[in-house]
Amino acid sequence: MSNHEHHVRILVVEDDTQIRKLLKVTLQAHKYNVYEASTGEEGLEQATLASPDLVILDLGLPDLSGLDVLRSIRERSNLPVIVLTAIDREADKIFALDHGADDYVTKPFGMGELVARIRVALRHSARAQEDPVLHHGELMINVAQRSVELKGEPIKLSPTEYDLLKILAFNAGRVITKSQLLKQVWNEYDDSNRHYLRIYIGHLRKKLEDNPAEPKYIVTEPGVGYRFLAAE
């Protein structure tokens, strides 16, 4: 574990005492400094006072909606925020991601999964400038040249396929919603072109995956979007 993780401050905004306790114990075991809030108001206060490096935000808070808390945080900073959502609240996940959340974890969640999400979000926040070359396992993307190689062989991608892959790979480990991809690749603000997205993701998988039916690079987050799996 690198030294910088020892000083990372994480704010947990969660009204369920048991979950808050579990998060605190686990995160402290990973050498994170943990701050707690049990309401949205308290969370916003702590987000200013404690200067956290990352916020874990439950969307079901007793006073403010977690989405309002997220919106207030986003108005003031780019602080990474991971939201905790109930299993059946797909619309909340999508709304939160479209309004600036970095990722989500669905309750009940495994702590290993949450810690992995935290590491990804912190890595993204630390990497302010773009790397000219992205390496993910046997895949290499040269951003300056707009070229892609797999296992040392050049892969021919259309401009749209390349833009889609670049956005997903730059956000490796994070889920990107369908709306975000439509806006960034096609400048589309209406979702009527979602079927294009499915078609282009299909093309990419055929070109990149050993077995497109069991993708190891671009995985579907059902109902939400796509996640590019970062090679550790």
Side-chain angles (χ1 to χ4, degrees):
M1 174 163 304
S2 55
N3 281 336
H4 74 276
E5 287 194 4
H6 288 245
H7 307 291
V8 169
R9 293 187 294 275
I10 294 182
L11 168 60
V12 175
V13 186
E14 164 65 75
D15 63 318
D16 184 313
T17 318
Q18 291 305 105
I19 294 178
R20 211 167 57 244
K21 206 174 279 178
L22 171 71
L23 286 168
K24 185 174 185 176
V25 169
T26 308
L27 294 173
Q28 284 178 337
H30 282 85
K31 304 288 189 287
Y32 293 116
N33 295 328
V34 182
Y35 297 80
E36 298 172 79
S38 57
T39 65
E41 287 287 0
E42 201 186 330
L44 286 173
E45 209 170 278
Q46 287 276 40
T48 306
L49 295 177
S51 299
D53 298 293
L54 179 139
V55 178
I56 294 172
L57 172 64
D58 180 31
L59 291 185
L61 295 167
D63 54 344
L64 302 171
S65 126
L67 295 169
D68 287 336
V69 174
L70 170 66
R71 215 183 268 117
S72 299
I73 290 174
R74 268 301 154 265
E75 281 165 7
R76 296 182 300 205
S77 81
N78 286 325
L79 185 61
V81 178
I82 295 174
V83 296
L84 302 179
T85 70
I87 201 133
D88 52 349
R89 301 300 294 269
E90 211 160 80
D92 282 354
K93 293 173 193 171
I94 294 169
F95 189 90
L97 291 162
D98 282 344
H99 286 77
D102 291 73
D103 214 332
Y104 69 87
V105 175
T106 304
K107 296 177 179 179
F109 50 86
M111 290 308 297
E113 180 192 5
L114 178 61
V115 170
R117 297 269 193 275
I118 288 170
R119 290 205 173 123
V120 166
L122 290 170
R123 241 192 339 260
H124 277 280
S125 129
R127 193 180 77 198
Q129 77 226 45
E130 297 193 347
D131 302 336
V133 180
L134 300 176
H135 290 275
H136 289 290
E138 297 173 312
L139 185 66
M140 186 197 81
I141 303 166
N142 186 318
V143 176
Q145 296 176 2
R146 287 181 67 92
S147 64
V148 179
E149 286 183 10
L150 183 63
K151 302 176 184 170
E153 295 293 319
I155 297 282
K156 199 162 168 36
L157 298 181
S158 73
T160 302
E161 289 165 357
Y162 172 81
D163 289 341
L164 203 47
L165 177 62
K166 181 184 149 187
I167 290 163
L168 288 166
F170 258 121
N171 291 286
R174 290 169 69 180
V175 63
I176 307 292
T177 67
K178 293 169 188 171
S179 300
Q180 286 169 328
L181 286 168
L182 286 167
K183 280 174 201 159
Q184 290 184 56
V185 177
W186 285 278
N187 290 322
E188 285 283 344
Y189 284 83
D190 98 66
D191 282 356
S192 59
N193 286 338
R194 283 189 175 208
H195 59 287
Y196 287 139
L197 195 49
R198 222 178 18 251
I199 292 164
Y200 277 103
I201 293 282
H203 290 330
L204 274 176
R205 284 179 174 153
K206 279 200 185 85
K207 291 178 181 183
L208 301 180
E209 305 283 4
D210 293 334
N211 176 1
E214 288 179 23
K216 63 177 187 196
Y217 288 116
I218 301 170
V219 298
T220 302
E221 293 273 336
V224 179
Y226 299 95
R227 192 188 295 271
F228 186 94
L229 293 185
E232 282 301 321

